[in-house]
Structures are given as structure tokens and as C-alpha cells.
Amino acid sequence: MPILTIASSKGGVGKTVVAEILVAQLAADGCRIAVLDADPNRALSGWLADVYEGPPPVEVIAEADETRVALAMPALSATADSLIIDTAGFASLAASVAMTGADAVLVPVLPGRADLVEAERTVQRAESLARAARREVPVRVVANRVRRGTSLSKHALSQAEDLRLPRLTTALSDLVGHGEIGFTGRLPGSSLALEEIAALVAELRQLGWIPEALVRAIV
Ligand SMILES: Nc1ncnc2c1ncn2[C@@H]1O[C@H](COP(=O)(O)OP(=O)(O)O)[C@@H](O)[C@H]1O
Ligand SMILES: [Mg+2]
């Protein structure tokens, strides 16, 4: 079942928030999710253990050792509809393994010059690892913390186009609703944040990167 790795060699770009959003939304949709937290800081698995309030993933493993990550990936994906992998904010071996074995790689990027250059590096790393493994692993960047209508976001968009970064149409705005999932453990109440999450999930479903919503009887 699809393995989605969320990666960027830059910290603080929203990898863990995007992972939290996807886990919460897919679990709410009845999908059986497995989670591999390959960041030694264990932010995602800590959130799942202490904060998250939705239906639990079928399995959660926090493992930053690259050999164990390689072994865990096929095992976890076999038990679930979707395996979501969060990675560290530096170019770790575990992140490279997680990108090489993934079915798709999502790279969150903030609207800044240095951020876009760093995202380009992560995209190139993911593409070259896939080539070395002779696999097709699609990669897309997703703009995060966008402030719509500002000149900063326009500059960032044009630089992303200059760099020919493969990107999702959906972008996530800088919204309290997205940030607060880390504290509330629930999908946001704000309608704009929910709309953006719905658009993100729809686009990832269209790409075949995450499973369709399953209707399961609730008793
Ligand atoms: N779209 C967003 N809107 C508001 N806050 C955000 C958004 N995305 C991320 N954040 C906040 O930015 C910080 C860094 O995000 P995080 O997901 O931890 O980054 P990473 O995992 O890439 O290091 C967190 O405090 C998070 O709540
Ligand atoms: Mg993180």
C-alpha cells in the first residue's frame, strides 16, 4: 500500500504538521494508517502518543536508524492502507532510505529564497536516489505557511517556477488552524484550514499517493 515520505533537509518547514494533518484526516476517513517516525526528535510519534485524539493508527514505529527504517517500511506498509513517514530536518541516512523506498515524496517548503533552494536540493536528492534504485518515485513540493496576496508569496512562486520545482497546486496558508493541530490533536475547526486540508487530500488522492476514503460502519 502506498508509502508517502515527507522530507526536507530543512527543519521547521512543516513536515510534521503535514504528517499530522494527513494522519488525522486519513484516519477520520476510515483508512488504516501506519506511521514511521524516522526523526530522532520523535515529534510525530510523541504527538500520536500524547496529543492526538482521532482513531489510532494500526501501527506506529519511531526509528531513526537507517537499517531498521529499511526493514520497517515493507512490514508496516503491508499491514496498512497507507504508510506515512516523517523524517528529520537534515539530510539523514534514514531520510534517504525513506525516500528511496517510498511510492511518493512530499517536500514542504516555506516561501523564502533559501527555503526554495533547500527544497530543490531535497527534490534532487529524492530523484537521484530513485534513479539509483531504478524506481519511479514521484516528488512534489508543497508550499506551506503561504500568506496569500503578499509580494513575498508572489516572489516565491516565480522563483519556484524558475527552479522548475515540481509542485502541488494546493498550498497551505499560514494559519493558526494548521499550527494548532500540534496542541489540540484534532483537525482544525477553522473552515479555511479545513478547506485547504480537503484540497490537499483530494490532490494527493488524484495522484494516487494516499488511499480513498473508506466507509466503515461505526458501531
Ligand atoms: N501552515 C502552517 N500554519 C501555521 N503554523 C504552521 C504551519 N505549518 C507549520 N507550522 C508551525 O511551524 C512550526 C514548524 O513546523 P514543523 O511541522 O514542526 O516543521 P518540521 O517538521 O519540518 O521541522 C511548528 O510550530 C508548526 O506548528
Ligand atoms: Mg518535524
Side-chain angles (χ1 to χ4, degrees):
M1 288 295 137
I3 300 178
L4 176 61
T5 292
I6 303 167
S8 168
S9 48
K10 198 148 197 309
V13 295
K15 291 181 292 297
T16 302
V17 162
V18 169
E20 289 167 355
I21 286 172
L22 292 178
V23 167
Q25 184 62 62
L26 292 179
D29 286 344
C31 305
R32 295 176 320 137
I33 307 298
V35 172
L36 177 51
D37 184 357
D39 182 348
N41 289 328
R42 301 190 166 192
L44 181 60
S45 47
W47 175 79
L48 282 165
D50 301 334
V51 183
Y52 173 61
E53 293 193 349
V58 286
E59 211 170 339
V60 179
I61 291 184
E63 182 55 73
D65 173 83
E66 64 274 11
T67 306
R68 294 203 196 100
V69 166
L71 293 171
M73 286 174 70
L76 285 174
S77 75
T79 62
D81 300 322
S82 172
L83 169 58
I84 307 283
I85 306 181
D86 191 18
T87 59
F90 52 90
S92 71
L93 273 176
S96 291
V97 168
M99 288 193 273
T100 310
D103 295 302
V105 176
L106 191 56
V107 181
V109 61
L110 301 183
R113 219 188 125 62
D115 292 281
L116 284 154
V117 169
E118 196 75 25
E120 185 190 29
R121 270 196 210 118
T122 303
V123 169
Q124 285 172 348
R125 176 178 288 256
E127 287 175 348
S128 54
L129 288 167
R131 215 166 298 136
R134 291 188 285 173
R135 298 188 64 230
E136 286 288 328
V137 183
V139 187
R140 296 274 196 290
V141 304
V142 57
N144 186 29
R145 305 198 79 164
V146 170
R147 292 184 186 166
R148 291 181 200 274
T150 61
S151 62
L152 174 65
S153 70
K154 282 181 205 135
H155 283 307
L157 189 61
S158 89
Q159 196 191 345
E161 269 156 21
D162 291 347
L163 292 171
R164 293 172 198 271
L165 287 178
R167 61 186 173 82
L168 295 186
T169 310
T170 309
L172 298 177
S173 301
D174 193 4
L175 295 175
V176 172
H178 293 313
E180 73 185 1
I181 192 172
F183 296 105
T184 64
R186 280 185 304 247
L187 287 165
S190 126
S191 60
L192 180 53
L194 279 177
E195 270 170 37
E196 290 188 349
I197 291 170
L200 174 68
V201 166
E203 189 171 3
L204 295 178
R205 285 200 167 117
Q206 210 168 16
L207 290 166
W209 289 14
I210 54 173
E212 294 297 328
L214 302 174
V215 180
R216 291 222 166 98
I218 298 168
V219 278

